[in-house]
């Protein structure tokens, strides 16, 4: 199996190299298109297949399992459609994400709504559509009570409650959601909370799901498995107290980390599923339906930001490649480089991997502040004017999450697929933003709104 992982890593790198070269040859990259996002369609399909196969291998036949992609990771309609056709549903956390999932053709039966601040209107829409909802807290559960009571017919939406097992955090505090003071879910170890949760289920026969999510990047496998074990134990307690199988589905979230330091993926879905089977053997015996909510681990490996080197300079004895990719496409990396480092690959002016000895250099972005760096003091083949710097493993939480610093335009995003020996064909996922669109989004249609405010005859 280890050889298969390494083989897949080599093939993925080869597809990426072919795509960068073809993007230059076909004009997707160049002086007039200085930064793009590339998505590996083959890699995305293989990730989806690996996830499904890993859980199929440990789950009793006939067990209902929904793998719902966390839309926040890559909120792009064509990506959601591709995953849908690969057997993956959608986990949404806002009206916008729900709209994206619906635009991609995701049915209500394969959509789950999670969010800590759902409005009454959002809850009503979800119940009208028959979308699964996980309530976050007692006040939200009270809103669901009112909606369920006032509905002319029993809701089609599976309804659940999110709990926080409060088992601790991982290496990154911002992505740890099972800490003592996490904002998510009902804090299970607070005084009286566990009994309140049990009673909440006993009082509501329509409450049939339990949701727990320990965190994402930086959470080790044993902690992920422990969080699932806590949810499973609570479900068993509720069902024992109810005298029936009231909780019929466990939503175990996602959270599988990505090793951004290496081309070889790890940990794998197969390893995670085996860890769960060892830690919580009853989870897969068919008594509970399962929902997962993976995001980063499905898409990160299969995206690349490629940016043209506009200038190459030196300062203080160090080389600096000034590119068009920085804080606007890699916000987390720029502001928290220790937690979110990225590998950088160097390509020459024709899009070929650049040879030559490594030179310690900075890879800088276009924004007007000194910390706008994709990489600092990194050893790479020397990047020169007209070359390309590629930020790897950026298919999740990067180029689809534009940060409009300096009114920098959103880059175009293109999916790619092999087209014969050495050939690559592209499909537009998102058009590059124009300067006119930047102006329009910045109030261009309301130029005089403030200067006329308070003028005679204004309202």
């Amino acid at each position: 199996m280890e050889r298969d992982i390494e083989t897949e890593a080599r093939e993925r790198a080869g597809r990426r190299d072919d795509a960068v070269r073809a993007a230059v040859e076909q004009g997707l990259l160049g002086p007039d298109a200085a930064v793009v996002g590339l998505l590996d369609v083959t890699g995305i399909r293989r990730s989806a297949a690996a996830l499904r196969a890993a859980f199929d291998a440990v789950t009793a036949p006939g067990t209902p399992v929904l793998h719902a992609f966390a839309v926040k990771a890559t909120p792009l309609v064509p990506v959601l459609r591709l995953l849908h056709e690969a057997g993956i549903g959608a986990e949404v956390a806002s009206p916008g994400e729900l709209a994206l999932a619906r635009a991609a053709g995701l049915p209500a039966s394969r959509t789950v709504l999670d969010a800590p601040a759902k409005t009454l209107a959002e809850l009503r829409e979800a119940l009208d559509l028959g979308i699964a909802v996980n309530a976050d807290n007692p006040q939200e559960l009270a809103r669901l009570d009112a909606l369920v009571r006032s509905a002319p017919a029993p809701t089609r939406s599976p309804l659940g409650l999110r709990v926080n097992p409060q088992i601790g955090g991982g290496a990154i505090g911002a992505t740890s959601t099972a800490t003592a003071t996490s904002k998510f879910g009902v804090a299970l170890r607070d005084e009286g909370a566990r009994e309140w949760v049990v009673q909440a289920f006993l009082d509501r026969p329509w409450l049939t799901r339990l949701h727990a999510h320990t965190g994402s990047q930086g959470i080790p496998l044993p902690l992920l498995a422990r969080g699932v074990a806590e949810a499973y134990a609570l479900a068993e307690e509720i069902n024992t107290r109810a005298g029936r199988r009231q909780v019929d589905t466990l939503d175990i979230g996602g959270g599988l980390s990505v090793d951004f330091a290496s081309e070889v993926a790890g940990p794998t879905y197969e390893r995670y599923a085996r860890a769960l089977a060892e830690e919580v053997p009853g989870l897969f015996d068919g008594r509970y339906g399962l929902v997962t909510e993976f995001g980063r681990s499905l898409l990160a490996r299969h995206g690349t930001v490629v940016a043209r080197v506009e200038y190459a300079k030196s300062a203080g004895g160090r080389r600096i490649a000034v590119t068009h990719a920085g804080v606007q496409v890699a916000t987390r990396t720029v502001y928290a480089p220790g937690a979110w480092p990225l590998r950088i690959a160097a390509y020459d002016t024709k899009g070929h991997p650049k040879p030559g000895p490594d030179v310690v250099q900075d890879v800088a972005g276009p924004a007007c502040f000194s910390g706008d760096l994709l990489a600092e003091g990194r050893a790479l083949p020397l990047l020169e004017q007209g070359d390309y710097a590629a930020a790897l493993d950026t298919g999740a939480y990067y180029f689809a999450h534009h940060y409009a610093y300096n009114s920098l335009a959103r880059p175009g995003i293109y999916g790619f697929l092999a087209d014969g020996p050495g050939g690559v064909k592209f499909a537009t996922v998102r058009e590059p933003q124009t300067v006119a669109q930047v102006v329009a989004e910045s109030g261009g249609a309301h130029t005089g709104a403030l200067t006329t405010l308070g003028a005679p005859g204004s309202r």
Side-chain angles (χ1 to χ4, degrees):
M1 179 57 67
E2 196 64 33
R3 179 183 178 280
D4 292 340
I5 294 172
E6 292 178 354
T7 298
E8 173 59 31
R10 287 194 298 271
E11 291 177 354
R12 183 171 57 246
R15 293 194 301 269
R16 180 178 63 236
D17 289 347
D18 288 343
V20 173
R21 172 189 49 76
V24 174
E25 292 174 350
Q26 297 180 34
L28 297 181
L29 272 169
D32 297 323
V35 57
V36 298
L38 301 178
L39 283 167
D40 180 358
V41 172
T42 296
I44 294 171
R45 285 174 171 154
R46 289 182 180 177
S47 274
L51 170 58
R52 296 178 63 191
F55 277 76
D56 286 348
V58 296
T59 305
T63 302
V65 179
L66 170 63
H67 297 295
F69 174 66
V71 173
K72 58 183 169 288
T74 311
L76 297 167
V77 172
V79 168
L80 303 183
R81 183 54 176 257
L82 177 65
L83 288 171
H84 171 46
E85 293 187 356
I88 307 296
E91 183 262 340
V92 302
S94 73
E97 289 184 359
L98 175 55
L100 295 179
R102 296 189 71 193
L106 271 294
S109 62
R110 299 189 63 77
T111 305
V112 180
L113 174 63
D114 294 318
K118 306 180 199 72
T119 66
L120 186 59
E122 291 171 46
L123 292 171
R124 184 178 292 112
E125 179 185 23
L127 268 59
D128 287 345
L129 293 171
I131 289 169
V133 176
N134 290 315
D136 179 82
N137 56 71
Q139 292 178 346
E140 185 180 337
L141 192 57
R143 285 183 172 178
L144 286 176
D145 281 336
L147 290 171
V148 169
R149 283 196 304 267
S150 63
T155 180
R156 295 174 293 121
S157 294
L159 300 176
L161 180 67
R162 179 170 182 170
V163 296
N164 170 13
Q166 294 176 293
I167 57 174
I172 304 174
T175 55
S176 299
T177 56
T179 61
T181 57
S182 171
K183 73 176 186 178
F184 294 102
V186 178
L188 203 54
R189 298 189 182 191
D190 283 11
E191 185 176 357
R194 190 181 189 95
E195 180 58 29
W196 181 89
V197 169
V198 173
Q199 193 60 49
F201 276 84
L202 298 181
D203 292 342
R204 298 167 177 83
W206 44 264
L207 201 58
T208 60
R209 291 188 170 191
L210 198 60
H211 176 38
H213 177 55
T214 301
S216 53
Q217 188 70 12
I219 305 294
L221 281 187
L223 194 63
L224 284 176
R226 186 179 166 199
V228 174
E230 294 280 343
Y232 173 83
L234 179 57
E236 293 281 271
E237 180 180 346
I238 292 168
N239 288 346
T240 297
R241 293 271 296 275
R244 60 190 179 87
R245 193 169 69 99
Q246 177 167 343
V247 177
D248 60 23
T249 300
L250 291 172
D251 185 333
I252 63 173
L256 196 63
S257 293
V258 172
D259 180 4
F260 287 102
S262 169
E263 187 73 60
V264 178
T268 63
Y269 291 122
E270 182 182 32
R271 182 179 165 197
Y272 180 43
R274 288 202 310 265
L276 287 177
E278 293 170 3
E279 179 76 18
V280 200
L283 182 68
F284 298 116
D285 65 9
R287 290 179 298 123
Y288 292 100
L290 294 174
V291 177
T292 71
E293 300 173 359
F294 295 101
R296 179 180 292 105
S297 57
L298 272 167
L299 262 291
R301 291 287 186 191
H302 311 304
T304 306
V305 175
V306 189
R308 188 171 181 268
V309 178
E310 195 65 38
Y311 300 108
K313 55 192 287 187
S314 63
R318 181 181 293 173
R319 298 290 296 176
I320 303 171
V322 181
T323 80
H324 291 270
V327 72
Q328 87 278 27
V329 292
T331 313
R332 284 177 167 176
T333 294
V334 168
Y335 285 131
W340 301 99
L342 287 173
R343 293 181 298 128
I344 306 295
Y347 293 87
D348 66 19
T349 58
K350 294 184 178 181
H352 298 282
K354 190 161 190 182
D358 285 348
V359 175
V360 175
Q361 57 196 297
D362 293 349
V363 181
C368 290
F369 68 98
S370 60
D372 187 28
L373 301 170
L374 283 181
E376 185 173 8
R378 191 72 60 84
L380 297 164
L382 183 63
L383 287 164
E384 300 173 286
Q385 188 176 39
D387 287 343
Y388 295 93
L392 311 184
D393 306 327
T394 47
Y397 297 103
Y398 280 92
F399 50 70
H401 296 70
H402 188 72
Y403 175 41
Y405 200 102
N406 283 144
S407 296
L408 292 164
R410 289 189 296 269
I413 300 174
Y414 305 92
F416 65 86
L417 196 65
D419 185 25
V424 178
K425 57 183 176 181
F426 293 95
T428 300
V429 174
R430 186 184 72 192
E431 296 278 359
Q433 188 181 30
T434 65
V435 172
Q437 289 170 331
V438 172
V439 173
E441 287 190 359
S442 300
H446 308 283
T447 303
L450 300 181
T451 56
T452 58
L453 191 66
S458 67
R459 304 179 72 179

